[in-house]
C-alpha cells in the first residue's frame, strides 16, 4: 500500500502537494515561464524548469503546451503590459516624456525582459513564430500612442502639420531599444528629457520661414 508519506516522497522536488487546476494552475505556469525567460533567457528556459517554478509536474505543462514555443507565446501574450492610453499633460514635450517613461517601465518589467530574451536569443525560425505577437502586442500599440501624441500636438499648433511620417515614430523606440540591447543600460529620466529636447522636438516643431 502506498502511504501519504511515500507518495509525497515520489513527487518531484519543489512540486506542491496542493492540487491546483484550471486557470489557477495555468497562470502559475505562465508566470513561471516569464520568470525563467527574464532570468535565464530563451536558451536557458526548459519545460522542466518551468514545471518546478510553477510547483507542478512536467506532464501538466506538456498537456497544455506541447512545445516551448507554444508556452512562451502564451506567456508573453498574457504578460505584456497594456499601453492603451496616451498621456495628455497639455504639451507635446510633456506628453512624449511621460509616454517614454511608460515605455521604459514596460521594457524593464518581467514581461519586458522576457520579450527581449526572445528577440535577442531566438534563431530565425523561432523568431518568426513570435513576429506577429511582437508587432500586435508591442510595436503597433507603441506607434499608435506616439502618433496620438503628435497628432494632438498638431491640433494645438505645437507640431508642424506634416510631422506624420512613420520614421518619426520609430525614433524613440529605436533609441531606447538600442540602449537596452547594445549598451545594456537603462535610460534615466534626465537622458529621456534630453533625447526629447535635442532630437525629437526639433524634428516636430513648425518650420520657421
Amino acid at each position: 500500500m502506498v502511504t501519504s508519506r511515500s507518495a509525497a516522497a515520489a513527487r518531484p522536488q519543489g512540486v506542491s502537494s496542493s492540487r491546483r487546476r484550471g486557470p489557477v494552475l495555468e497562470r502559475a505556469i505562465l508566470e513561471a515561464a516569464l520568470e525563467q525567460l527574464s532570468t535565464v533567457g530563451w536558451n536557458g528556459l526548459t519545460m522542466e524548469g518551468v514545471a518546478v517554478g510553477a510547483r507542478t509536474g512536467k506532464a501538466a505543462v506538456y498537456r497544455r503546451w506541447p512545445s516551448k514555443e507554444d508556452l512562451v507565446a502564451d506567456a508573453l501574450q498574457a504578460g505584456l503590459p497594456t499601453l492603451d492610453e496616451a498621456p495628455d499633460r497639455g504639451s507635446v514635450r510633456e506628453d512624449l516624456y511621460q509616454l517614454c517613461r511608460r515605455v521604459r517601465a514596460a521594457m524593464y518589467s518581467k514581461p519586458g525582459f522576457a520579450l527581449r530574451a526572445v528577440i535577442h536569443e531566438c534563431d530565425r525560425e523561432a523568431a518568426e513564430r513570435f513576429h506577429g505577437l511582437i508587432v500586435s502586442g508591442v510595436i503597433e500599440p507603441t506607434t499608435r500612442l506616439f502618433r496620438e501624441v503628435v497628432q494632438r500636438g498638431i491640433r494645438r499648433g505645437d507640431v508642424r502639420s506634416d510631422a506624420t511620417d512613420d520614421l518619426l515614430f520609430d525614433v524613440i523606440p529605436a533609441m531606447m531599444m538600442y540602449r537596452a540591447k547594445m549598451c545594456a543600460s537603462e535610460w534615466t529620466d534626465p537622458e529621456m528629457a534630453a533625447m526629447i529636447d535635442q532630437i525629437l522636438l526639433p524634428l516636430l516643431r513648425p518650420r520657421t520661414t
Side-chain angles (χ1 to χ4, degrees):
M1 185 177 76
V2 178
T3 66
S4 60
R5 180 175 299 177
S6 61
R11 284 193 299 268
Q13 186 176 2
V15 176
S16 172
S17 60
S18 60
R19 297 289 295 175
R20 293 169 299 164
R21 299 179 186 276
V24 174
L25 178 56
E26 290 178 2
R27 282 195 299 270
I29 294 171
L30 294 174
E31 279 291 325
L34 287 178
E35 179 67 26
Q36 283 244 319
L37 278 172
S38 64
T39 54
V40 302
W42 168 264
N43 292 327
L45 182 145
T46 65
M47 301 292 264
E48 294 83 354
V50 170
V52 171
R55 301 179 65 80
T56 189
K58 184 170 63 175
V61 180
Y62 276 109
R63 275 198 302 271
R64 293 162 173 81
W65 295 278
S67 72
K68 174 176 169 176
E69 289 80 6
D70 292 326
L71 172 59
V72 168
D74 281 357
L76 289 174
Q77 189 164 14
L80 286 174
T82 302
L83 297 171
D84 56 359
E85 185 177 347
D88 187 359
R89 300 295 185 89
S91 74
V92 67
R93 185 210 184 267
E94 186 63 20
D95 291 349
L96 288 171
Y97 176 69
Q98 294 300 329
L99 182 52
C100 282
R101 295 186 69 192
R102 291 187 192 177
V103 171
R104 180 186 62 185
M107 287 176 61
Y108 287 90
S109 65
K110 185 184 295 183
F113 277 114
L115 179 62
R116 279 188 279 158
V118 170
I119 293 172
H120 298 167
E121 298 178 33
C122 278
D123 57 30
R124 177 174 297 181
E125 183 178 350
E128 288 177 356
R129 170 72 186 275
F130 301 111
H131 177 74
L133 173 62
I134 293 169
V135 169
S136 63
V138 179
I139 296 174
E140 289 179 348
T142 303
T143 301
R144 175 178 56 80
L145 294 184
F146 277 116
R147 187 182 296 276
E148 184 177 333
V149 166
V150 169
Q151 289 177 336
R152 189 186 299 133
I154 292 173
R155 293 193 294 271
R156 290 194 190 109
D158 297 335
V159 176
R160 71 176 197 274
S161 60
D162 61 343
T164 55
D165 192 286
D166 288 342
L167 289 174
L168 284 171
F169 305 115
D170 288 340
V171 171
I172 289 179
M175 293 187 67
M176 294 182 76
M177 184 58 71
Y178 169 81
R179 173 71 66 88
K181 180 176 181 179
M182 303 303 295
C183 305
S185 63
E186 180 180 343
W187 285 92
T188 65
D189 286 352
E191 287 173 333
M192 284 196 299
M195 174 177 61
I196 292 168
D197 291 336
Q198 298 174 24
I199 297 174
L200 199 58
L201 287 183
L203 295 173
L204 296 175
R205 289 193 187 108
R207 296 187 178 96
T208 57
T209 57

